[in-house]
Amino acid sequence: MKKIVLTPNPYRDRNFKYVTLADKLLREAGLETRICLAFDVDRSFELPDNVVLTELNHELRDADLLVCFGGDGTILHASKAATKAGIPVLGVNIGTMGFMAELESTELEKLAMLATGEFTTEKRMMLDVTVQRSRDILFHDICLNDAVITKGVIARIVHLSVKCDGVQAMECGGDGVIVATPTGSTAY
């Protein structure tokens, strides 16, 4: 492990208290770090002046790990970029929902174990979701926990055909369908 990208949720980690402490601990352990935002913030939101932020997708190209600081939403959002880059994600809970986080904000000293290799990684299934009408692709994305497809504002019932790996798994009519990985849904 050489390079770690840290992604704070600035709405949860006010003034980047936790991410700057983690940055210090990891650098003292001999690791290279970069701090990046996992998502855009409101233009009116003030980010700390003392933190140098770099571009996430650029930094992930040669990173070994992405560490997210926030709740499950931050982890879910950042996991898309990490998956595309082929690197693992470690969550540090500083949000309200922390089911997916491995560490709590009070356990930051454990991050030093990354430098010595005292950790294991766990593979997680991802969903590759495409919403299609006839031959038109309306939406495509990947996700870690679940995909929810529901009816429109006007329609009361939606007719769905669900395919898994190109094979039709089911056809149904109703108000929607939820497809979940073993990680499960924390929000629906």
Side-chain angles (χ1 to χ4, degrees):
M1 183 98 21
K2 294 176 185 155
K3 180 180 174 184
I4 298 176
V5 175
L6 309 172
T7 57
N9 178 334
Y11 301 110
R12 301 277 185 203
D13 190 0
R14 295 284 182 183
N15 299 312
F16 291 175
K17 172 185 169 183
Y18 298 109
V19 78
T20 52
L21 176 56
D23 182 60
K24 179 180 181 286
L25 292 168
L26 290 167
R27 286 179 183 270
E28 286 174 354
L31 296 166
E32 178 185 347
T33 61
R34 296 289 188 277
I35 300 174
C36 307
L37 293 179
F39 52 85
D40 294 330
V41 296
D42 281 331
R43 292 179 190 212
S44 61
F45 190 83
E46 286 190 44
L47 294 169
D49 293 339
N50 61 330
V51 176
V52 176
L53 296 171
T54 57
E55 204 274 320
L56 180 63
N57 289 322
H58 173 76
E59 297 297 346
L60 288 177
R61 289 181 197 153
D62 62 344
D64 297 301
L65 178 69
L66 175 67
V67 181
C68 298
F69 296 81
D72 287 348
T74 307
I75 294 169
L76 290 170
H77 190 82
S79 69
K80 294 177 186 186
T83 298
K84 289 175 184 171
I87 64 168
V89 177
L90 172 65
V92 178
N93 182 38
I94 55 172
T96 52
M97 295 289 251
F99 297 114
M100 294 180 191
E102 195 64 31
L103 296 177
E104 293 295 325
S105 59
T106 56
E107 300 176 299
L108 292 181
E109 71 283 347
K110 290 184 178 180
L111 290 173
M113 296 166 70
L114 295 170
T116 59
E118 296 177 63
F119 62 90
T120 58
T121 58
E122 178 182 315
K123 289 190 180 281
R124 295 284 178 113
M125 180 187 294
M126 300 280 289
L127 292 175
D128 185 338
V129 179
T130 302
V131 177
Q132 193 172 331
R133 183 176 292 135
S134 298
R135 297 206 183 276
D136 297 331
I137 294 177
L138 305 176
F139 175 83
H140 178 259
D141 208 348
I142 59 172
C143 60
L144 176 61
N145 66 339
D146 67 3
V148 179
I149 300 169
T150 61
K151 61 183 175 41
V153 177
I154 297 171
R156 295 190 196 298
I157 292 183
V158 62
H159 296 282
L160 300 166
S161 173
V162 178
K163 294 181 181 180
C164 297
D165 293 330
V167 177
Q168 184 161 331
M170 64 177 286
E171 205 169 312
C172 66
D175 66 349
V177 65
I178 301 170
V179 180
T181 66
T183 297
S185 176
T186 59
Y188 190 80

